[in-house]
Amino acid sequence: DVKVTQSSRYLVKRTGEKVFLECVQDMDHENMFWYRQDPGLGLRLIYFSYDVKMKEKGDIPEGYSVSREKKERFSLILESASTNQTSMYLCASSWGFGTGRYNEQFFGPGTRLTVL
Amino acid sequence: KQEVTQIPAALSVPEGENLVLNCSFTDSAIYNLQWFRQDPGKGLTSLLLIQSSQREQTSGRLNASLDKSSGRSTLYIAASQPGDSATYLCAVPNYGGATNKLIFGTGTLLAVQP
């Protein structure tokens, strides 16, 4: 079974702090994703990566950056946390591009981040 | 621009009932459609992926159908149980744009009453 893990289930940080959210997948997937989920807004894509050191902006990249130094690990970085970044953050991975099952996405358990 | 909607937004049924969740999408040019389940405060669990060439996909008590021409998918849950209570989301990959970006529906919150 595909396993996607996230470093923390719950996290509380102060405004202005630098925050790192880590995601690890164990299936040698090419693609990894970071989403945030907010009530009434659904899931929104922040960034995705299709290879080591490669990244693409999603719909809401402002205030975030990412790092992918190894294939299995994808980090989301909040350079200076703000209260409007309080949210549920979800990481996902998939094998690669293409039709069929290649782009089936598998999600981690989520990190509930609160910024005070 | 692809848009995905789910109706109803919420559904409450007694245990044992068979039920259908609906998912509609505006652009029929899709690679596949994925159904997820989300428990409160948790991540998404992939239930079924139905490919564009398929009409149905089954897993246990779950059956997903796909009608691309009408832009619709349904998730059929047989003999519902209280443990099926969750939010169900459907999603399609972004066609022609950044491949693999999923466009999610609004979700259906299901409550199965014991």
Side-chain angles (χ1 to χ4, degrees), chain B residues 1 11 36 71 80 86 99 101:
Chain B
K1 180 187 171 189
L11 183 62
F36 295 92
S80 58
T99 312
K101 171 184 171 177

mmCIF file of all heavy atoms in Angstrom, chain B residues 1 11 36 71 80 86 99 101:
data_model
loop_
_atom_site.group_PDB
_atom_site.id
_atom_site.type_symbol
_atom_site.label_atom_id
_atom_site.label_comp_id
_atom_site.label_asym_id
_atom_site.label_seq_id
_atom_site.Cartn_x
_atom_site.Cartn_y
_atom_site.Cartn_z
ATOM 1 N N LYS B 1 -13.008 26.379 -18.506
ATOM 2 C CA LYS B 1 -12.426 26.023 -17.219
ATOM 3 C C LYS B 1 -13.280 24.930 -16.574
ATOM 4 O O LYS B 1 -14.478 25.073 -16.456
ATOM 5 C CB LYS B 1 -12.376 27.263 -16.322
ATOM 6 C CG LYS B 1 -11.787 27.000 -14.941
ATOM 7 C CD LYS B 1 -11.931 28.218 -14.061
ATOM 8 C CE LYS B 1 -11.554 27.876 -12.623
ATOM 9 N NZ LYS B 1 -11.874 28.952 -11.691
ATOM 10 N N LEU B 11 -26.316 14.580 3.217
ATOM 11 C CA LEU B 11 -27.273 13.495 3.075
ATOM 12 C C LEU B 11 -27.297 12.697 4.373
ATOM 13 O O LEU B 11 -26.231 12.369 4.920
ATOM 14 C CB LEU B 11 -26.847 12.601 1.909
ATOM 15 C CG LEU B 11 -27.724 11.421 1.515
ATOM 16 C CD1 LEU B 11 -29.090 11.912 1.058
ATOM 17 C CD2 LEU B 11 -27.046 10.617 0.406
ATOM 18 N N PHE B 36 -12.925 10.135 -3.358
ATOM 19 C CA PHE B 36 -12.226 10.107 -2.087
ATOM 20 C C PHE B 36 -13.232 10.112 -0.944
ATOM 21 O O PHE B 36 -14.356 10.599 -1.081
ATOM 22 C CB PHE B 36 -11.343 11.357 -1.913
ATOM 23 C CG PHE B 36 -10.211 11.481 -2.881
ATOM 24 C CD1 PHE B 36 -10.378 12.170 -4.069
ATOM 25 C CD2 PHE B 36 -8.976 10.937 -2.597
ATOM 26 C CE1 PHE B 36 -9.332 12.323 -4.964
ATOM 27 C CE2 PHE B 36 -7.909 11.083 -3.481
ATOM 28 C CZ PHE B 36 -8.096 11.777 -4.665
ATOM 29 N N GLY B 71 -21.196 14.311 -18.591
ATOM 30 C CA GLY B 71 -20.439 14.985 -17.548
ATOM 31 C C GLY B 71 -20.860 14.584 -16.148
ATOM 32 O O GLY B 71 -20.966 15.442 -15.260
ATOM 33 N N SER B 80 -25.616 0.662 3.442
ATOM 34 C CA SER B 80 -24.809 1.646 4.181
ATOM 35 C C SER B 80 -24.696 1.290 5.664
ATOM 36 O O SER B 80 -25.604 0.684 6.269
ATOM 37 C CB SER B 80 -25.400 3.039 4.015
ATOM 38 O OG SER B 80 -26.738 3.069 4.476
ATOM 39 N N ALA B 86 -19.011 10.159 6.505
ATOM 40 C CA ALA B 86 -17.797 10.907 6.139
ATOM 41 C C ALA B 86 -18.191 11.908 5.058
ATOM 42 O O ALA B 86 -19.344 11.941 4.620
ATOM 43 C CB ALA B 86 -16.715 9.978 5.598
ATOM 44 N N THR B 99 -0.822 19.003 -15.963
ATOM 45 C CA THR B 99 -1.332 17.646 -15.766
ATOM 46 C C THR B 99 -1.121 17.205 -14.341
ATOM 47 O O THR B 99 -0.121 17.508 -13.734
ATOM 48 C CB THR B 99 -0.606 16.677 -16.706
ATOM 49 O OG1 THR B 99 -0.609 17.225 -18.008
ATOM 50 C CG2 THR B 99 -1.278 15.331 -16.713
ATOM 51 N N LYS B 101 -2.852 18.191 -11.811
ATOM 52 C CA LYS B 101 -3.560 19.046 -10.877
ATOM 53 C C LYS B 101 -4.996 18.557 -10.808
ATOM 54 O O LYS B 101 -5.670 18.438 -11.824
ATOM 55 C CB LYS B 101 -3.514 20.490 -11.362
ATOM 56 C CG LYS B 101 -4.403 21.422 -10.580
ATOM 57 C CD LYS B 101 -4.367 22.808 -11.177
ATOM 58 C CE LYS B 101 -5.433 23.678 -10.529
ATOM 59 N NZ LYS B 101 -5.379 25.065 -11.031
#
